[in-house]
Each structure stands twice: as C-alpha cells, then as structure tokens.
Amino acid sequence: MNLLKIFFLLFFINIFSQELEFRAVWVASVANINWPSEPGLSADKQKEEAISIIESVKNTNMNTIILQVRPQCDALYYSEIEPWSYFLTGETGLPPEPFYDPLKFWIDESHKRDIKIHAWLNPYRANHPQNKSINQKSIINTKNELVFELKNGYWWLNPTDKNAMQHSLNVVYDIVKRYDIDGIHFDDYFYPYPSYNNGEDFPDHELWKKSKKNIFVNNKNNWRRKSVNSFIKEVNKGIKKIKPHVIFGISPFGIWRPKYPNIADTSFDQYDMIFADPKKWLKRGWADYFSPQLYWTIDNSKYSYPILLDWWNSQNKKNKKIWPGIRLSNYSGKDQIKEVINQIKINKSKNNLGIVFWSFNELKNNPELSKALVDEHFKN
C-alpha cells in the first residue's frame, strides 16, 4: 500500500472514529409554545410550520429535534391508548383534518434531512391548565381512579399507583414499537412542582396509608422516590428490549439538591419536592444521556454554568452522555450569542460533546445566533 492510500485510510478512520456531537433543540407542544402555533390549525398549516422548524434546524447544522408528543396524557400521533391532543386539534380526541399522523410526518421529514427525532413525553401530567377541552375522552373521565386533581388546574397521574405506572409504560413502549424514532425523552416533570397545588402536599394519603412500609421505605418521600426510580428503570429496560438502538434521555432540574455543588444555594429541592433523584439514575446508568437544565449564565455567582456542569460530570461514573440543556432567553441579541458560544466552548473543553437549546422560539427569533453557531461551532 503506497503512502497516499495510507494517508487517506488514516484520514477516514479518524473522521469516522470521532464522536458525533449532539446538537439538539426542544420543540414544545404544551400550551402551543413552539408547535403547532395554536390549536385547531389545518393539517396543511401544521405541516407547513413543522417543515419550517425542521429546515431551520437543518440550516443551523443541528442534528436532533426533541419533539413533545405527549404533553398531558394525550397524543400528537395516532394512538389507541390516549386521545388526540387539544394542543393539536383544539378538541381532545379529535384527529387532524385532513387526517395524517404528525409524529410520522416529523420523523419522515427530519430523517430526509439527516435530523434525528427524540419523542418527548411527560410521564405523569394528566392535564395542563391551558387545555380547554376536558371531555369524555380525557383520562380524567376514562381512568379517573388513576389521577388526582390539583389546585391550579392541573391533574396528575399517581406515580405510586402501579396501574398508573403501567399506563405510562404502555404509552412509551407503544411509541418505540410503532415509530422509527431515535430516542425517548423525559424532562423534569415527575411529581408536580409545589406551586401547582398551592404548596399543599400531593394528595396520595390514602394509598400511603395502605402501602407496605419497610426499613427502606419508612417515610412518604422515600416511598414516592422509589416509585419514580422504578419507573425510570423499567422505561430504560423496556426500550432496550424492544429496540436497543433507541436511546433514552432525561433532562432533570439542573441542581440535584441545595448545596450540590456548594455554591448552589437554592430553596428548591427536586429530591424532596418532585421526588426525582437523577443522581441515582446517573449512578445506576438508567438512561443513555442526561441533559440537566443548566439554565444559568457563566458569571452567575450562585449557579455558575461551568461549576454546575463540573458537578454533573463528577457524578457520571458509568460514562453516560452529559449533554446539558441551556436557556437561550437568559440574554437577547449579541449578548445571547456571546453567552451561548462561550457555553459551547466550555462544554467542548470538558468533553461534553452535546447541547440542547430551550427552546426553538428563541433560536428562531435570533437568526444571528444561528449564523454564529454555523460560523464558529456547527460548521459541518
């Protein structure tokens, strides 16, 4: 083999051995944040908006869309388990007109452009206050025994109810089986945030009274966390059994607990308020990637972006992917560009080869940011 052939062989080995950088954006359907822009649009208008988003992602040389397909025990895809979403058609259970399957459409159009689709689901939220269509097809009426009504317009599945857990597992497995998705994604909504119930305790007192207590589950918070942990573990196991190539990702609140790391002096404690323990999930390797919501700036004295990222990296004993989520709305204009570019530089310096942007609207509203990303970090 001559020297020229050896050179090209080594060149291509180097190219294909490099890890693909994860460049993703969240596209939220709840409350029509990103897509569709309002409930009840025609199918053609929904498709037009979807194509615009996909093309924008492609033109920014990004490679993944995290699409919210189950915002509240409903579906932005054809499902025999849950009804069509109000946020899609304006009426719970009403299919798009003319009929099409939005998730399949997003997958097909994205894959044509070499963009991956991760189906983003909310595991336990049964109703969002901005849903204006609670009818006979809503889970509130079809499976009322699985849900609780909260104070501020929310309804929530009961995570410690095994039937409720199985319902959400069935939804996840159904999507993985029937669709050519590249990933399944959860955000930080496990138990509801305290404000959703006016600061009152989650109303699962009767089931707690009936539960079997033991030395490891000796208080209500441990009991709740145990159920969430079991759910996460089963989701991961089930996905790998059905389609091993489909990856599972979680985007928890960016601070595990107050004072972890020490500068993070926050009053919010996801461990004891929404009963999520992402440190354990990371330690056990129960997901393929984690995108902690590091929604603060580099120079924030209490929640410095690089210090928080260092903490998450220090917990990653199973060498899973840490692809942080960042909030674009921290700044606007040129200040936004500077902050985002610097955060990506920090990621790369720490070998965190991925990032997720919250959310698409902010990316769309600053075309100069897209240009800067292509010019500096997303050249290919």
Side-chain angles (χ1 to χ4, degrees):
M1 185 179 294
N2 62 40
L3 289 176
L4 187 61
K5 287 182 178 179
I6 292 172
F7 171 80
F8 280 110
L9 179 62
L10 292 174
F11 173 78
F12 284 111
I13 288 173
N14 180 59
I15 290 294
F16 288 112
S17 65
Q18 290 180 15
E19 183 180 342
L20 180 66
E21 187 176 11
F22 188 77
R23 305 168 183 171
V25 62
W26 279 294
V27 175
S29 60
V30 67
N32 299 101
I33 292 173
N34 298 135
W35 181 87
S37 61
E38 61 182 89
L41 296 176
S42 69
D44 288 341
K45 182 61 177 175
Q46 291 172 8
K47 290 178 181 179
E48 179 185 320
E49 290 186 352
I51 290 293
S52 176
I53 293 171
I54 295 166
E55 282 290 331
S56 177
V57 170
K58 177 180 181 291
N59 292 337
T60 312
N61 285 345
M62 297 168 66
N63 55 33
T64 306
I65 292 171
I66 300 175
L67 177 67
Q68 191 175 34
V69 300
R70 191 217 192 195
Q72 50 163 28
C73 285
D74 56 6
L76 281 86
Y77 60 95
Y78 175 75
S79 171
E80 294 184 354
I81 300 174
E82 293 185 317
W84 289 100
S85 177
Y86 161 79
F87 299 117
L88 185 73
T89 63
E91 182 180 336
T92 300
L94 182 70
E97 177 61 39
F99 182 83
Y100 80 113
D101 187 323
L103 179 53
K104 186 177 187 307
F105 180 81
W106 274 86
I107 292 168
D108 290 345
E109 294 301 320
S110 296
H111 285 180
K112 282 180 191 177
R113 298 164 175 82
D114 294 324
I115 295 168
K116 297 181 184 299
I117 287 285
H118 289 208
W120 165 18
L121 298 82
N122 288 97
Y124 299 122
R125 186 166 58 204
N127 184 71
H128 188 280
Q130 291 198 36
N131 174 23
K132 308 302 181 186
S133 176
I134 299 175
N135 58 27
Q136 71 277 9
K137 295 183 179 179
S138 167
I139 194 170
I140 293 169
N141 293 312
T142 60
K143 296 187 177 183
N144 182 263
E145 72 281 3
L146 302 184
V147 299
F148 290 124
E149 183 178 10
L150 306 182
K151 299 293 184 181
N152 292 324
Y154 289 92
W155 288 74
W156 219 263
L157 285 172
N158 182 5
T160 55
D161 185 320
K162 293 189 182 302
N163 292 324
M165 181 190 297
Q166 190 60 54
H167 177 82
S168 286
L169 286 173
N170 291 343
V171 170
V172 174
Y173 299 159
D174 177 57
I175 292 173
V176 176
K177 286 174 184 174
R178 294 193 296 116
Y179 290 93
D180 186 23
I181 57 166
D182 303 286
I184 288 287
H185 184 91
F186 294 159
D187 56 16
D188 55 322
Y189 291 105
F190 295 96
Y191 275 80
Y193 278 72
S195 61
Y196 295 180
N197 201 35
N198 282 347
E200 295 182 20
D201 194 27
F202 189 73
D204 55 0
H205 324 297
E206 291 303 316
L207 197 56
W208 166 240
K209 287 179 185 177
K210 296 175 184 176
S211 68
K212 294 182 179 179
K213 318 289 194 295
N214 61 52
I215 192 171
F216 300 109
V217 186
N218 53 11
N219 67 52
K220 193 183 289 185
N221 290 1
N222 288 345
W223 173 66
R224 289 168 174 168
R225 267 192 304 276
K226 183 176 183 293
S227 290
V228 176
N229 290 342
S230 297
F231 179 73
I232 295 296
K233 185 178 179 181
E234 288 302 313
V235 167
N236 185 54
K237 185 169 68 174
I239 291 171
K240 295 298 178 283
K241 185 176 180 180
I242 299 165
K243 288 181 183 175
H245 67 275
V246 173
I247 65 174
F248 177 37
I250 305 175
S251 176
F253 184 73
I255 299 166
W256 175 59
R257 301 200 70 181
K259 295 293 186 178
Y260 290 88
N262 192 51
I263 65 163
D265 187 15
T266 175
S267 60
F268 179 72
D269 185 354
Q270 66 179 315
Y271 185 83
D272 266 339
M273 290 182 173
I274 58 174
F275 311 106
D277 187 4
K279 179 183 175 183
K280 182 168 188 172
W281 309 336
L282 183 56
K283 180 180 178 181
R284 298 292 177 87
W286 287 345
D288 299 295
Y289 73 93
F290 292 81
S291 297
Q293 296 172 20
L294 305 188
Y295 286 177
W296 300 274
T297 57
I298 294 167
D299 61 359
N300 189 306
S301 59
K302 291 175 67 175
Y303 316 114
S304 170
Y305 179 85
I307 294 176
L308 293 174
L309 181 56
D310 282 343
W311 185 89
W312 285 95
N313 283 338
S314 72
Q315 305 304 308
N316 189 16
K317 307 303 182 185
K318 293 278 189 181
N319 292 319
K320 297 298 180 177
K321 304 301 182 186
I322 304 289
W323 295 326
I326 70 169
R327 182 167 57 193
L328 295 177
S329 59
N330 283 329
Y331 292 112
S332 60
K334 291 183 179 179
D335 288 336
Q336 183 187 72
I337 295 170
K338 181 180 177 182
E339 179 70 21
V340 170
I341 293 299
N342 286 336
Q343 288 188 5
I344 295 175
K345 286 179 180 177
I346 288 168
N347 287 357
K348 291 185 175 182
S349 72
K350 299 177 185 298
N351 204 34
N352 294 95
L353 299 180
I355 198 159
V356 189
F357 296 120
W358 173 258
S359 69
F360 174 75
N361 284 357
E362 285 74 27
L363 190 69
K364 176 185 70 174
N365 291 337
N366 191 351
E368 290 302 312
L369 173 60
S370 293
K371 183 179 184 302
L373 288 169
V374 172
D375 288 345
E376 295 199 39
H377 288 299
F378 298 169
K379 292 183 179 180
N380 300 310

